[in-house]
Structures are given as structure tokens and as C-alpha cells.
Amino acid sequence: MKIKMNRLKNLIKTNELEGKRIIVTGCSYKPIEHVFTNLIDGDLSHDSIFVESEEMKINIGTATAFSLAAKGATIHMVSRSIERLENIKKAIVETLNISPKKIEYSQVDLLDEDEVKNFVYEIKKDKPIWWYQSIGLGAGAYKVKNDNPYLHIEDIPTELLEKESQIVLRGTHILMKALLPIFKNQFEKFGCETRIVIVSSMSAVRGYALGGTHCAAKGAISRYTNAAMLDFYKKKIFVTDLRPGAIDTGMYDNEFVQKSILEIDDEYNGLWREKFRLAPPISVGESAAQIFTNSGHITSLNLVAEGQFPHEGS
Ligand SMILES: NC(=O)c1ccc[n+]([C@@H]2O[C@H](COP(=O)([O-])OP(=O)(O)OC[C@H]3O[C@@H](n4cnc5c(N)ncnc54)[C@H](OP(=O)(O)O)[C@@H]3O)[C@@H](O)[C@H]2O)c1
């Protein structure tokens, strides 16, 4: 195995997002239970931080917090674990050598309307606020059997069908409604547009037999995002649907998920039995930085690992 290139430490620092406060939800990490390597150079496909000397795989929200902090933004991270948020803050500040003042965090249950209202009331409004939404089922939001949402139709518990769509849609809509009055005012107040990125998934646009819950849930958030984009662009609020493929955040570490993924890949090119193909979380962070700094409006962005089935639509 190759020595891992430290992609987080090597992020190029710029000031392109200086003066923006970006809310990044779903920031977390997981212990490493399986190690995957990239198809092309054999480098490790996860990005990691150390928590009390234990190496942890970072997820999409955390990687994005790193990428946007490197571009000079003030980051406001959100999840339900204050301890994990504090550890992520420490890792970002130490790795990127930036001021701790630029990394803020709040413990918020995004399904709780009162908590969300309070969070939006309390957040500092001295800079334009932008938003990156990356919540999912992970980290105990709802216990999926074997942590595997990729199931044949006959095996899908009805509750999972409801929960997977409901958590992400409800958590997004509640925060959207709470932030909208701020967003609508930002052009007048600061003379700048508002940008929003919502993470759905490639599973929103391509189908597979084991996608009865996952494709349905990702399709729902993707269509919601599309409606928001069409509703808000007239108000100088620009929304992007970011659709990652398989990303090495730990969700593929367990054998049940791996077995399902191999079955899914068999419907495409069937190459994963040779080698799994997962993109690093920082690749999604880099895409977010591109979307937030682009002088145009990127309406949607699809991203897969090198060598993952790149099919859009099934
Ligand atoms: N990993 C992939 O391969 C992949 C690919 C495409 C799309 N995606 C999607 O991208 C998103 C992020 O993926 P990930 O792998 O980074 O997932 P993850 O590690 O499971 O992160 C999901 C985050 O959502 C947070 N969350 C869940 N319910 C919440 C609530 N009620 N309030 C506040 N936070 C809540 C969790 O935080 P706490 O539990 O700590 O509060 C957790 O940090 C998900 O929607 C996922 O489906 C992932």
C-alpha cells in the first residue's frame, strides 16, 4: 500500500471566499473499519483526521468544511454532536493553520423546528450567509439494519422507506424556511448574491434494483433542490444540486454494504469485483469550492470516482 498523500494539508489556501459565512451541515467522521485504495495510483481513498490518536475517516460535510475554510470562508458547522464538531474544528485549525475564529459550530437537530429557529436567530449576521447541506441517515439518525440502505424491494422495511426520504427532505426544508428571510435580504444588505449547495447523490439520476429506498430518497431531495433553484434565481439566490457517486466516508466499510454494491455494479459494467472505486471526500469538498467560487451559476454537478460506473440515468 502506498503512503497516503495528505490531501487536506495540501489544500491550496486562497481568499476567494473571504467575507462569507458558510453553514456546512452534516460534519462528522467514523473510525476506519476497512481500507480502500484508488484505482489509478493506489493511494488511499479516504481522507482522515486524528481524534485522540485514532485515525478517523472524515465525511462529506467535514471535507467540505476543510475545502471552504482553505478558500478563506468563515465556516459554521452543524451536527448533533458537539464533541465531534469540536474535534473537527481543532483538526481544521491545526491542519490549515488558520485562526480558530474562522471555524464556528452549533449543535442542532435539524428535524426540530424550534432548535433550527433558535440557531438561525443566534447565528452572526455580520457577513453574507451561504449554505451547504449534507445531512443523511448516518451516525444514528435512524438505525438501518446492517447500516445498509441498498435492499431488494421485498426486503425494504416500510419505516426505512419513510425515514430515509423524510430525514433529508424535512431537515432541508425546515432550515430552508428559517434561512430564507435572511437570504432574500442579502443582495440589498451586502450587494452580493446568495449561494446554496444541496448534496443529493448520483442515485437521484440513475437507478438500480437495490435502489427502492435510496434512489427514491435521493430523487426526492434532488427534485426539491431543482424546484428551489427555479423558485429563487429571480431573487439572486442560486441553488446547486451536488450529486456525488460512491465516496469513501466509511459507509462502504461493512461487508453487507459491499455485497449490495457489487450486485448493483453487476448491472452496470461489473468491474467492482476486480476493485472497489471510491472517490475521496475531499473531491466533493473541491467541487463545493468550485461551485461557491464560480463566476457562473453551476446548476448541478455530478461526480464519480475514477473508474466508477459514470452512467447518468439508468
Ligand atoms: N458517502 C457517499 O458515498 C455518498 C454518496 C452520495 C451521496 N451521499 C449523501 O451525502 C450526504 C452526506 O454523506 P456522508 O457519507 O458524509 O454521510 P454521513 O457521514 O452519514 O453524514 C450524515 C450527517 O448527517 C447528520 N445528520 C443526520 N440527521 C441529522 C439531524 N437530524 N440533525 C443534524 N444533523 C443530522 C449526521 O450528523 P450527527 O448524527 O452527528 O448529528 C451526519 O454527520 C448524505 O445525504 C448521503 O446520502 C453520500
Side-chain angles (χ1 to χ4, degrees):
M1 188 190 305
K2 271 192 160 187
I3 302 289
K4 186 172 48 159
M5 183 177 81
N6 195 333
R7 288 178 287 254
L8 302 181
K9 215 173 178 64
N10 289 342
L11 283 169
I12 295 169
K13 283 175 33 184
T14 71
N15 59 7
E16 289 163 278
L17 291 171
E18 191 70 49
K20 305 285 183 319
R21 172 173 282 105
I22 307 184
I23 298 171
V24 180
T25 64
C27 297
S28 189
Y29 52 79
K30 296 185 184 80
I32 299 176
E33 281 166 15
H34 190 98
V35 171
F36 298 98
T37 55
N38 288 340
L39 179 69
I40 304 298
D41 59 7
D43 199 355
L44 304 182
S45 53
H46 63 265
D47 295 302
S48 56
I49 59 174
F50 283 84
V51 176
E52 287 168 10
S53 313
E54 191 185 349
E55 193 179 4
M56 301 282 181
K57 286 191 180 186
I58 61 168
N59 73 353
I60 291 175
T62 300
T64 301
F66 266 91
S67 288
L68 302 181
K71 296 269 177 274
T74 296
I75 304 298
H76 197 111
M77 300 185 295
V78 171
S79 85
R80 291 164 304 176
S81 165
I82 204 84
E83 195 191 325
R84 282 200 292 263
L85 290 168
E86 178 60 38
N87 290 333
I88 297 166
K89 171 174 176 160
K90 260 190 228 151
I92 297 176
V93 167
E94 280 167 24
T95 309
L96 298 180
N97 190 22
I98 55 172
S99 162
K101 285 193 190 136
K102 297 198 80 167
I103 309 293
E104 306 165 348
Y105 57 83
S106 297
Q107 180 180 29
V108 186
D109 180 352
L110 292 172
L111 299 180
D112 183 318
E113 293 195 51
D114 290 336
E115 271 190 39
V116 171
K117 273 187 199 150
N118 191 45
F119 160 65
V120 172
Y121 178 76
E122 297 275 336
I123 194 167
K124 280 196 197 156
K125 298 172 186 71
D126 56 326
K127 302 175 174 50
I129 295 175
W130 291 2
W131 174 32
Y132 181 90
Q133 176 79 339
S134 180
I135 64 164
L137 266 183
Y142 165 74
K143 187 67 193 144
V144 184
K145 191 176 172 203
N146 301 324
D147 293 320
N148 180 22
Y150 304 103
L151 300 168
H152 287 283
I153 296 287
E154 65 202 25
D155 299 326
I156 299 172
T158 310
E159 205 191 351
L160 171 62
L161 201 63
E162 288 162 2
K163 289 284 180 192
E164 193 175 355
S165 293
Q166 185 211 339
I167 285 171
V168 175
L169 260 187
R170 185 182 153 86
T172 303
H173 188 57
I174 289 174
L175 188 51
M176 180 75 89
K177 282 195 8 178
L179 287 169
L180 211 46
I182 297 174
F183 292 159
K184 281 184 177 166
N185 253 332
Q186 290 197 130
F187 186 73
E188 215 166 89
K189 188 169 170 194
F190 298 107
C192 82
E193 82 278 29
T194 297
R195 295 200 181 211
I196 301 172
V197 175
I198 297 179
V199 178
S200 64
S201 168
M202 283 295 280
S203 293
V205 291
R206 66 181 172 203
Y208 36 88
L210 281 72
T213 44
H214 203 62
C215 296
K218 296 308 173 191
I221 188 66
S222 178
R223 290 291 85 198
Y224 174 91
T225 302
N226 182 259
M229 180 178 77
L230 297 173
D231 208 2
F232 300 155
Y233 77 95
K234 304 143 204 159
K235 301 177 176 80
K236 302 182 181 66
I237 300 168
F238 302 122
V239 182
T240 302
D241 184 359
L242 174 49
R243 303 190 194 105
I247 308 298
D248 192 359
T249 60
M251 70 171 284
Y252 300 95
D253 285 8
N254 94 54
E255 56 178 314
F256 300 97
V257 174
Q258 290 178 16
K259 201 164 158 277
S260 293
I261 293 296
L262 291 177
E263 236 188 284
I264 289 169
D265 180 57
D266 288 343
E267 293 183 33
Y268 288 93
N269 289 325
L271 298 171
W272 285 47
R273 290 190 188 272
E274 264 166 39
K275 186 174 176 59
F276 269 68
R277 292 120 201 266
L278 305 175
I282 203 64
S283 66
V284 188
E286 285 163 2
S287 304
Q290 171 60 240
I291 293 166
F292 280 123
T293 57
N294 200 286
S295 46
H297 171 191
I298 296 178
T299 55
S300 65
L301 192 152
N302 296 341
L303 164 88
V304 293
E306 290 174 308
Q308 192 194 350
F309 36 100
H311 307 65
E312 297 169 17
S314 47

